[in-house]
């Protein structure tokens, strides 16, 4: 399929998805949302060949970013703007395509109202992006499409990573035979587990590990089976993060793009796993660019974008090229793939953002 024909096809798929979301929105905001999600998955499945071809042949590149590992992109909070600062091709990994899987993992009888609310909010934000961002961000089911034929392969990698958190534990069967309570977990835990395991974005790492786990249990009740053992619920929380991290890495390596991670917990586990994958070709740069994009999101003051419309924002960025300016500045200060995890990098990112805010403020003053 010729490239211009392929791009037109992808644009048509985006339009059809927008119309589908409009039609399904009442269902997606109700207890019938799972039926609507099935229709969305069928929609993506029907367009598998064109989307897969686009992601393999047109999308790959070191300036191609996928917003992934998150539940949604908040349009009203301008989360799309710092994303558009990085690189020149942008895909939102459709969160709606993963919600059926999340629901299937929830214990029987669990109150799913929280999940249904999240589905509705996600659908509304997807629709706002499709209606307002003019194709600058494509919504595609990145991780849904990249499912290996052997689903056990990712599970086995995740199992190895999880077991590596302990001493004297050979596999998951061994873990569950030896561990029941949080005290058992701590008895077998390797020395660095307090640093390696993060339960949530608000996890207070200064608290005792056992207390942090109790807080995590309270915050994830909708996903956990409370009568089950501490060992089971610990596994469900941590293994879920590990599997998501592997899923993101495999998908982004497969499609040759950089993961743009918003959620600090996802970033933590992806970074932790990537340290053991640096022998993969191109992975050092992959980790570097992913980390810089995460810093940009964390340090960006989105409120300072509120006074400028999207078209002007894109025009100014096209002229200024924040992405190129940022990596040029980092190179000038000898910040590269091998030495970017420090305060110096954070300050350089902050300084470059300030320069871009100034460029935008000049535009606003001129317009007035």
């Amino acid at each position: 399929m010729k490239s211009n024909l392929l791009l037109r096809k992808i644009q048509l798929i985006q339009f059809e998805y927008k119309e589908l979301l409009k039609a399904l929105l009442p269902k997606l905001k109700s207890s019938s949302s799972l039926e609507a999600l099935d229709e969305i998955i069928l929609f993506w499945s029907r367009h598998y060949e064109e989307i897969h071809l686009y992601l393999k042949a047109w999308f790959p590149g070191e300036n191609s970013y996928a917003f992934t590992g998150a539940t949604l992109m908040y349009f009203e909070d301008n989360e799309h703007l710092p994303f558009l600062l990085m690189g020149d091709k942008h895909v939102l990994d459709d969160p709606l395509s993963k919600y059926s899987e999340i629901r299937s993992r929830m214990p029987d009888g669990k109150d799913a109202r929280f999940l249904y609310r999240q589905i509705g909010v996600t659908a509304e934000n997807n629709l706002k992006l499709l209606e307002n961002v003019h194709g600058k961000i494509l919504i595609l089911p990145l991780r849904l499409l990249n499912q290996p034929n052997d689903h056990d392969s990712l599970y086995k990698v995740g199992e190895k990573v999880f077991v590596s958190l302990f001493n004297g534990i050979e596999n998951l069967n061994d873990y569950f035979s030896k561990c029941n309570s949080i005290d058992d977990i701590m008895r077998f835990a390797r020395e660095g587990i307090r640093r390696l395991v993060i339960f949530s974005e608000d996890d207070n790492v200064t608290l005792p590990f056992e207390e942090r786990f109790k807080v995590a249990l309270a915050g994830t009740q909708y996903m956990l089976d409370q009568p089950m053992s501490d060992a089971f619920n610990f596994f469900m929380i941590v293994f879920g993060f590990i599997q998501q991290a592997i899923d993101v890495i495999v998908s982004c390596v497969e499609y040759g793009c950089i993961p743009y991670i918003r959620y600090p917990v996802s970033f933590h586990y992806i970074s932790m796993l990537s340290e053991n994958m640096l022998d993969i070709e191109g992975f050092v740069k992959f980790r570097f660019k992913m980390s810089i994009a995460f810093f940009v999101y964390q340090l960006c003051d989105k409120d300072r974008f509120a006074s400028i419309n999207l078209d002007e924002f894109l025009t100014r960025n096209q002229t200024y090229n924040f992405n190129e300016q940022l990596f040029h500045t980092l190179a000038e200060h000898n910040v590269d793939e091998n030495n970017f995890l420090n305060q110096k990098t954070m300050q350089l990112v902050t300084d470059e953002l300030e320069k871009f805010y100034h460029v935008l403020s000049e535009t606003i003053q001129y317009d007035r």
Side-chain angles (χ1 to χ4, degrees):
M1 188 182 290
K2 292 183 179 179
S3 60
N4 57 346
L5 180 60
L6 176 60
L7 293 177
R8 286 201 298 271
K9 183 61 179 177
I10 293 297
Q11 290 168 0
L12 178 59
I13 290 170
Q14 294 292 286
F15 174 78
E16 291 176 352
Y17 187 44
K18 179 178 69 174
E19 296 304 304
L20 179 64
L21 284 180
K22 284 181 183 178
L24 292 177
L25 196 58
K27 274 189 177 182
L28 287 164
K29 296 174 70 175
S30 74
S31 58
S32 301
S33 58
L34 293 183
E35 297 172 20
L37 291 179
D38 288 341
E39 292 190 50
I40 288 172
I41 291 172
L42 284 172
F43 172 82
W44 289 131
S45 299
R46 286 197 300 271
H47 294 293
Y48 170 82
E49 290 187 7
E50 302 101 312
I51 296 171
H52 184 69
L53 181 58
Y54 170 81
L55 290 172
K56 289 290 287 184
W58 188 262
F59 186 55
E62 62 179 56
N63 284 318
S64 298
Y65 286 81
F67 189 106
T68 187
T71 52
L72 72 155
M73 183 186 290
Y74 289 98
F75 179 78
E76 299 296 343
D77 195 32
N78 287 327
E79 285 198 325
H80 54 295
L81 297 182
F83 181 44
L84 287 167
L85 285 178
M86 304 306 299
D88 50 29
K89 294 178 185 175
H90 304 88
V91 163
L92 167 61
D93 182 13
D94 186 14
L96 291 175
S97 65
K98 300 294 286 186
Y99 275 120
S100 287
E101 179 185 330
I102 293 171
R103 182 66 182 95
S104 69
R105 293 202 307 264
M106 291 177 66
D108 292 338
K110 272 291 174 185
D111 186 351
R113 283 178 295 182
F114 171 84
L115 181 63
Y116 295 147
R117 286 196 299 271
Q118 195 73 1
I119 290 170
V121 172
T122 302
E124 287 180 325
N125 277 275
N126 273 12
L127 195 51
K128 288 175 183 176
L129 286 167
L130 289 166
E131 290 175 336
N132 294 284
V133 183
H134 318 308
K136 298 298 182 183
I137 299 172
L138 299 176
I139 301 180
L140 298 172
L142 193 78
R143 287 184 290 149
L144 179 70
L145 292 179
N146 190 45
Q147 296 296 322
N149 293 327
D150 178 11
H151 291 276
D152 289 339
S153 60
L154 288 183
Y155 187 90
K156 289 175 181 175
V157 172
E159 178 180 342
K160 288 181 181 178
V161 174
F162 181 81
V163 169
S164 72
L165 297 172
F166 302 93
N167 295 313
I169 301 286
E170 299 297 326
N171 50 48
L172 286 183
N173 288 335
D174 198 24
Y175 167 76
F176 284 113
S177 69
K178 293 177 177 177
C179 296
N180 183 65
S181 67
I182 186 63
D183 292 334
D184 296 331
I185 291 171
M186 296 310 297
R187 184 159 54 252
F188 288 98
R190 61 185 282 190
E191 185 177 347
I193 196 168
R194 290 172 173 80
R195 175 182 57 85
L196 294 171
V197 170
I198 294 180
F199 294 113
S200 72
E201 186 173 2
D202 302 317
D203 191 2
N204 184 350
V205 296
T206 64
L207 295 175
F209 193 81
E210 296 85 344
E211 188 172 340
R212 290 169 55 198
F213 176 62
K214 287 180 182 177
V215 173
L217 284 179
T220 53
Q221 290 182 20
Y222 70 98
M223 282 295 296
L224 300 177
D225 197 346
Q226 294 297 319
M228 298 296 286
S229 68
D230 287 345
F232 178 85
N233 284 328
F234 179 86
F235 168 77
M236 289 297 292
I237 296 172
V238 176
F239 190 75
F241 289 135
I242 291 171
Q243 283 298 98
Q244 183 200 55
I246 293 170
D247 202 9
V248 167
I249 291 171
V250 168
S251 296
C252 290
V253 169
E254 170 71 14
Y255 295 124
C257 59
I258 309 300
Y260 179 98
I261 307 299
R262 180 194 74 191
Y263 187 39
V265 179
S266 298
F267 179 75
H268 169 79
Y269 285 98
I270 294 169
S271 299
M272 184 175 75
L273 266 65
S274 10
E275 290 176 6
N276 301 308
M277 300 179 178
L278 299 181
D279 55 338
I280 298 175
E281 183 179 356
F283 208 82
V284 172
K285 180 168 284 188
F286 172 99
R287 186 180 67 146
F288 173 53
K289 291 211 156 190
M290 174 191 74
S291 300
I292 298 302
F294 176 75
F295 298 156
V296 168
Y297 175 82
Q298 291 294 312
L299 296 169
C300 182
D301 183 354
K302 297 185 293 295
D303 290 340
R304 297 176 73 172
F305 296 151
S307 301
I308 190 166
N309 65 54
L310 177 62
D311 289 336
E312 188 61 39
F313 177 92
L314 293 171
T315 299
R316 281 287 159 170
N317 188 41
Q318 186 174 15
T319 302
Y320 183 78
N321 199 334
F322 174 84
N323 185 74
E324 184 177 306
Q325 294 282 356
L326 173 60
F327 283 103
H328 177 72
T329 297
L330 293 173
E332 279 189 329
H333 289 82
N334 299 313
V335 174
D336 58 24
E337 294 92 335
N338 302 308
N339 63 347
F340 60 89
L341 295 174
N342 52 54
Q343 190 57 42
K344 174 183 176 183
T345 304
M346 306 291 273
Q347 187 59 55
L348 290 171
V349 170
T350 299
D351 292 345
E352 287 304 312
L353 283 167
E354 284 292 339
K355 292 177 186 177
F356 187 64
Y357 300 146
H358 181 67
V359 168
L360 292 182
S361 67
E362 286 183 333
T363 302
I364 295 167
Q365 290 170 10
Y366 177 78
D367 289 344
R368 290 174 180 171

